[in-house]
């Protein structure tokens, strides 16, 4: 199965566009391997199942900002099943492990692209998902994002850190971890958190534009119920105004993405503490 989205971004323009469509499938699609390609300057792309968050949203192309304003549930109830900030990416799940996609699933292909040049640029994103034999399926995946929405970076700050701790409400085996920030972030880190004590550093990213995807598929990271992660983002703000959480390039974010088994849609990493240092 191939999904593709392309459009032209004018010089100096920030484009945040969403294409809603139905998957070109007539039966359940079990996916074990995915490949994607996009502009090497892409801020981010993602694919989201929207039935729970926007059940009446019809196929077509939209301004994402207007969609999220009209359907605020997209932020929490939209089910992101693929995302990338890298020019090329391949993901292969362990044998027998799949992402399960409903036939004719209504999805939103989201692209956020900034064109700092003096010429038009075609923003593009293509995702190829490969079918896996149903008789070989053993288990499915689930996942989600945990977001710090209380960001407040003071004007002129040279070293401001926002941190968040979350714990899983059910035991999971983590297959992938990553972070997402905007350009004021100088570093993003993830540490173990046992519910009371912050532990080992397990992830660091110093390139906000291309955060690595930490791959635990060879040896899944076991997280018992009641344990989880601390994620922290370091910022520098050379501007004259405080910067807060938001979608645009002028705003900031600090979040982690987690993919895990079993494929339990009720499992989540619940925020228990937040702060600054």
């Amino acid at each position: 199965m191939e999904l593709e989205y392309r459009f032209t971004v004018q010089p100096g323009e920030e484009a945040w566009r969403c294409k809603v469509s139905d998957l070109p499938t007539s039966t359940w699609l079990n996916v074990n391997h995915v490949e994607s390609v996009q502009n090497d300057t892409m801020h981010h792309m993602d694919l989201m199942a929207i039935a729970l968050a926007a059940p009446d949203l019809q196929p077509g192309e939209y301004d994402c900002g207007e969609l999220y304003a009209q359907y605020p549930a997209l932020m929490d109830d939209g089910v992101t099943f693929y995302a990338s900030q890298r020019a090329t990416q391949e993901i292969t799940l362990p044998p027998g492990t799949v992402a399960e996609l409903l036939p004719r699933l209504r999805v939103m292909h989201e692209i956020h692209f900034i064109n700092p040049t003096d010429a038009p640029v075609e923003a593009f994103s293509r995702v190829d998902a490969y079918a896996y034999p149903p008789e070989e399926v053993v288990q499915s995946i689930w996942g989600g994002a945990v977001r710090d929405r209380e960001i407040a970076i003071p004007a002129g700050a040279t070293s401001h850190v926002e941190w968040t701790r979350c714990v899983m409400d059910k035991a999971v085996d983590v297959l992938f971890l990553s972070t997402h920030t905007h350009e004021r972030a100088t570093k993003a880190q993830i540490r173990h958190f046992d519910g009371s004590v912050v532990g080992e550093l397990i992830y660091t990213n110093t390139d906000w534009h291309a955060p690595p995807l930490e791959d635990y598929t060879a040896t899944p990271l076991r997280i018992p119920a009641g344990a989880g992660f601390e994620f922290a983002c370091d910022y520098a703000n050379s501007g004259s105004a405080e910067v807060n959480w938001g979608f645009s390039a002028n705003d900031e974010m600090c979040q982690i993405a987690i993919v895990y088994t079993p494929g339990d849609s009720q499992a989540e990493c619940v925020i228990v503490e937040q702060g600054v240092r």
Side-chain angles (χ1 to χ4, degrees), residues 43-187:
H43 180 55
H44 82 271
M45 64 73 56
D46 59 56
L47 290 171
M48 177 188 296
I50 62 172
L52 297 177
D56 60 341
L57 186 55
Q58 297 301 302
E61 294 189 40
Y62 300 86
D63 177 276
C64 292
E66 294 175 1
L67 275 190
Y68 277 86
Q70 183 178 358
Y71 298 96
L74 283 169
M75 177 58 66
D76 294 314
D77 295 335
V79 180
T80 300
F81 58 91
Y82 188 79
S84 178
Q85 286 184 250
R86 309 183 74 85
T88 60
Q89 181 169 279
E90 289 191 38
I91 291 178
T92 302
L93 299 175
T97 302
V98 300
E100 296 179 323
L101 303 180
L102 288 164
R104 305 291 298 172
L105 181 68
R106 185 153 295 178
V107 302
M108 186 168 76
H109 196 159
E110 179 179 324
I111 289 180
H112 191 177
F113 186 86
I114 301 166
N115 178 9
T117 74
D118 57 4
V121 173
E122 183 182 54
F124 71 93
S125 166
R126 190 183 78 236
V127 180
D128 293 293
Y130 297 90
Y132 194 75
E135 65 275 10
E136 297 181 20
V137 174
V138 175
Q139 63 180 349
S140 62
I141 63 170
W142 198 257
V146 186
R147 305 175 177 91
D148 178 355
R149 301 191 195 184
E150 306 300 322
I151 294 173
I153 309 167
T158 57
S159 182
H160 177 83
V161 181
E162 301 263 354
W163 59 264
T164 299
R165 295 168 187 157
C166 68
V167 297
M168 295 301 307
D169 56 5
K170 298 182 180 181
V172 297
D173 290 313
V174 173
L175 301 180
F176 298 101
L177 273 178
S178 191
T179 58
H180 179 76
T181 66
H182 292 175
E183 63 180 331
R184 292 176 184 83
T186 58
K187 182 168 59 178

Side-chain angles (χ1 to χ4, degrees), residues 3-7 17-19 61 109 111 123-125:
L3 295 174
E4 186 174 66
Y5 188 20
R6 295 174 178 267
F7 56 84
R17 300 278 297 277
C18 290
K19 178 182 178 182
E61 294 189 40
H109 196 159
I111 289 180
F124 71 93
S125 166

